[in-house]
Amino acid sequence: MVFQLAQVVPWGRSFADYVGMFGLTDEDLGRSVLDCAGGPASFNATMHRQGQRVISCDPIYQFSAEEIAQRIDETCPTIVAGLHENHDWFVWSEAIPTPEALGECRLAAMGEFLADFPQGAIEGRYLVAELPSLPFADRAFELAISSHLLFTYTAQLSLEFHQAAIAELLRVADEVRIFPLLTNFTTERSPYVQPAIDALTAQGFRVEIVPTVYEFQRGGNELLRVWRDRLG
Ligand SMILES: C[S@@+](CC[C@H](N)C(=O)[O-])C[C@H]1O[C@@H](n2cnc3c(N)ncnc32)[C@H](O)[C@@H]1O
């Protein structure tokens, strides 16, 4: 299937958001990290500036910074309007009191991504690749993180896709972290979470659901961690 920018709603979070979503410690940040479905998040830009090792992959990286920026401009007002319509599904705070404030935060993060993307692509830090098949060697990374794709898009992606995608992330990394566990536009855990955990556990992988300090989608305060080394 051809990946079309017109069907994508690019929306990227900041380095601080990533630290909160994935419970990243200083030790984690020192590992070689794959951000799968990194989109227009500024995690890679900040990691690189801090001298850390990171590669982000996403089908959106086949487009230019200008094309992605244009799509962000087109879709941002729709997202902010959607946040107003579904105000109670989100956790508003002093730091982010309104949908407009959230829009500003996300635009700042995406601006950082857009500034870094052209040079980062030349350096091979942003690669065009999509689940469930990644162009990396077995155990190429110590940690793979993925946010707001798996479980989020339960309505669009099958359980089989989720299982194949998690297996692929476990092939390329020693540990996988996925956030959040909610189906998009709900406050409910995705119905795929338990079957995915059951299958991984049956295969002998160590799996944990860990609470996060980060919560913007109400109820979105859990992280799935899976370790490649099998139990026993
Ligand atoms: C909502 S964005 C999340 C971006 C970032 N992880 C964050 O949380 O700020 C979801 C991203 O998933 C990407 N995506 C869609 N299908 C994908 C696939 N099969 N494999 C990897 N990424 C995919 C989209 O292009 C989009 O950039």
Side-chain angles (χ1 to χ4, degrees):
M1 197 176 72
V2 180
F3 188 86
Q4 291 180 329
L5 191 57
Q7 289 168 354
V8 177
V9 180
W11 203 232
R13 290 157 189 84
S14 70
F15 176 80
D17 291 329
Y18 265 58
V19 168
M21 293 189 299
F22 294 110
L24 297 172
T25 61
D26 285 348
E27 194 186 335
D28 292 328
L29 294 171
R31 300 162 83 186
S32 59
V33 181
L34 171 66
D35 180 16
C36 185
S42 63
F43 179 71
N44 190 312
T46 307
M47 283 285 278
H48 178 64
R49 213 171 42 243
Q50 295 177 354
Q52 313 282 21
R53 295 164 296 161
V54 63
I55 287 180
S56 303
C57 67
D58 195 299
I60 206 179
Y61 300 151
Q62 67 191 271
F63 302 104
S64 68
E66 291 72 24
E67 289 169 320
I68 298 172
Q70 190 186 337
R71 187 69 191 141
I72 290 169
D73 288 346
E74 284 165 7
T75 53
C76 186
T78 314
I79 296 178
V80 171
L83 291 168
H84 274 290
E85 276 165 35
N86 302 292
H87 192 270
D88 293 348
W89 289 358
F90 299 94
V91 178
W92 303 102
S93 62
E94 216 171 291
I96 302 181
T98 62
E100 283 72 20
L102 191 271
E104 289 305 314
C105 283
R106 297 285 187 266
L107 284 174
M110 291 189 283
E112 243 189 275
F113 158 80
L114 290 168
D116 181 56
F117 177 57
Q119 183 59 28
I122 290 169
E123 292 169 4
R125 287 187 285 114
Y126 295 102
L127 296 180
V128 181
E130 64 187 280
L131 290 168
S133 178
L134 300 175
F136 305 114
D138 293 357
R139 307 194 85 148
F141 301 92
E142 289 166 298
L143 176 63
I145 55 180
S146 189
S147 64
H148 300 95
L149 174 68
L150 297 171
F151 302 127
T152 296
Y153 289 102
T154 289
Q156 290 81 10
L157 303 169
S158 67
L159 175 60
E160 290 68 32
F161 176 90
H162 279 71
Q163 289 178 327
I166 296 170
E168 180 68 345
L169 290 167
L170 282 166
R171 181 185 69 76
V172 303
D174 297 332
E175 184 192 337
V176 174
R177 299 187 194 181
I178 299 169
F179 179 92
L181 308 188
L182 300 182
T183 303
N184 214 6
F185 303 122
T186 75
T187 53
E188 303 294 323
R189 207 188 255 185
S190 160
Y192 294 160
V193 171
Q194 198 54 52
I197 291 177
D198 290 345
L200 290 163
T201 308
Q203 293 165 64
F205 291 108
R206 188 154 62 91
V207 187
E208 268 182 29
I209 290 181
V210 182
T212 59
V213 286
Y214 183 98
E215 182 181 6
F216 179 59
Q217 283 175 272
R218 206 168 278 288
N221 58 357
E222 291 179 319
L223 165 68
L224 186 71
R225 291 181 71 172
V226 189
W227 288 266
R228 190 178 194 275
D229 282 332
R230 290 163 198 257
L231 290 170

